[in-house]
């Protein structure tokens, strides 16, 4: 349980596209940061990402309707940025429980959770709480790593989806991992599209493949920023060269309308290794397009 001396949330400067700071029955999407990086195996510092992403989002606020979307996000989607999930420093089990409690509150309202990590371990308690309420989900996972390694530790950002499948959180045959460019030779039930297969692919064709796999299943999108090549996103803990370009990802995301999105996150931004906020700005931009993707499914 969370420490009794702490509230569930810490206040934060609101993400520029949030229409309010408190969630209620009218909220469509709830943004929360999880400043946690105790599961990091490489360079630490992802705990500072939620603040950095919010700050970088100020560069996007002037655009009333993001190009090339045909509607205004603010008019179609009620987004609440509730700040950062609170937990005691150094308390990994407590942090995971705090995230589960947060997601449970979001789901009680019928809203969609959008999480800013933190390292990739924060995705696991999100999935645990969601599945406890609604059952297993399909997964679309952007990353340089599969994060499906047995590891040996409960708190390891490289073992997130090993634990997720062992715990029955994911729908069989509906997990796709894109941009992988590290060892994935071990047997896996997941469909892996490695980075080299995307270097020469058309985003529209990849989007159609994703839609065929996911169908109408409840789908969760998790985006590790190291999926993007470090030339564009140097601010991350485990950079791997040979990644995907931002323009490919943006085109791909914009063609994923029509899926049944029930949750999203962006993880592994590490501001200490960023330059001129380009990684944080990229994360904020991706988050904005992901919000537009959620808005496009509202009342559709």
């Amino acid at each position: 349980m969370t420490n009794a001396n702490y509230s569930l949330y810490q206040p934060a400067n609101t993400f520029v596209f949030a229409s309010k700071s408190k969630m209620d029955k009218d909220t469509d999407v709830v943004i929360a940061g999880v400043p946690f990086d105790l599961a990091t195996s490489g360079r630490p510092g992802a705990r500072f990402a939620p603040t950095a992403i919010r700050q970088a989002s100020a560069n996007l606020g002037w655009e009333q309707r993001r190009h090339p979307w045909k509607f205004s996000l603010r008019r179609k989607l009620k987004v609440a940025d509730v700040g950062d999930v609170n937990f005691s420093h150094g308390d990994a089990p407590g942090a995971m429980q705090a995230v589960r409690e947060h997601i449970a509150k979001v789901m009680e309202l019928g809203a969609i959770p959008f999480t800013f990590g933190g390292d990739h371990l924060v995705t696991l308690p999100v999935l645990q709480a969601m599945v406890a309420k609604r059952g297993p989900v399909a997964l679309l996972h952007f990353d340089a790593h599969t994060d499906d390694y047995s590891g040996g530790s409960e708190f390891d950002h490289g073992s997130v989806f090993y634990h997720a499948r062992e715990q029955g959180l994911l729908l069989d045959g509906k997990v796709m991992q894109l941009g992988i460019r590290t060892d994935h030779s071990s047997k896996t039930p997941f469909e892996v599209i490695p980075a080299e297969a995307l270097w020469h692919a058309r985003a529209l064709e990849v989007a159609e493949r994703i839609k065929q796999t996911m169908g109408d299943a409840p789908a969760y999108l998790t985006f590790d920023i190291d999926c993007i090549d470090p030339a564009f996103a140097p601010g991350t803990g485990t950079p791997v060269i040979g990644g995907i370009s931002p323009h490919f990802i943006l085109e791909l995301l914009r063609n994923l309308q029509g899926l049944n999105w029930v949750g999203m996150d962006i993880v592994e931004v590490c501001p200490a290794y960023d330059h001129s906020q380009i990684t944080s700005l990229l994360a904020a931009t991706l988050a904005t397009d992901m919000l537009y993707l959620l808005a496009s499914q509202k009342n559709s």
Side-chain angles (χ1 to χ4, degrees), residues 19 61 99 106 118 123 132 138 145 244 248 269:
S19 52
V99 174
V106 173
T123 302
H145 318 80
I244 313 307
F248 180 90
V269 172

Side-chain angles (χ1 to χ4, degrees), residues 9 38-39 47 55 65 110 146 159 170 188 263:
Y9 304 110
L38 293 178
R47 69 183 64 186
Q55 290 175 340
R65 176 177 61 82
T146 63
S159 301
L170 306 175
T188 174

Side-chain angles (χ1 to χ4, degrees), residues 144 179 181 195 199 223-236 239-246 249 278-279 282:
R181 52 194 186 277
W199 293 343
F223 201 105
D224 186 324
I225 203 69
D226 70 25
C227 177
I228 306 292
D229 191 89
F232 305 103
T236 189
V240 183
I241 65 168
I244 313 307
S245 69
I249 293 296
I278 61 173
T279 311
L282 174 58

Side-chain angles (χ1 to χ4, degrees), residues 105-236:
K105 288 183 63 176
V106 173
M107 297 199 69
E108 284 175 8
L109 292 173
I112 295 174
F114 198 139
T115 307
F116 293 166
D119 66 45
H120 216 153
L121 183 62
V122 305
T123 302
L124 184 59
V126 173
L127 291 173
Q128 290 169 336
M130 291 186 67
V131 170
K133 178 73 174 180
R134 68 178 310 138
V137 296
L139 181 75
L140 181 61
H141 171 205
F142 293 88
D143 207 319
H145 318 80
T146 63
D147 291 353
D148 184 39
Y149 315 110
S150 59
S153 171
E154 181 182 359
F155 305 106
D156 179 355
H157 70 162
S159 301
V160 179
F161 302 112
Y162 169 81
H163 292 302
R165 62 182 172 88
E166 288 291 304
Q167 295 171 22
L169 307 181
L170 306 175
L171 288 170
D172 291 340
K174 293 189 179 296
V175 177
M176 298 185 70
Q177 299 182 307
L178 278 67
I180 308 301
R181 52 194 186 277
T182 51
D183 180 41
H184 52 279
S185 58
S186 59
K187 294 181 180 179
T188 174
F190 303 153
E191 179 179 353
V192 175
I193 304 181
E196 59 268 26
L198 297 176
W199 293 343
H200 310 291
R202 294 182 60 231
L204 183 59
E205 293 174 350
V206 177
E208 289 303 315
R209 181 171 171 181
I210 293 169
K211 289 180 179 180
Q212 290 174 5
T213 298
M214 300 292 178
D216 60 358
Y220 188 89
L221 194 162
T222 181
F223 201 105
D224 186 324
I225 203 69
D226 70 25
C227 177
I228 306 292
D229 191 89
F232 305 103
T236 189

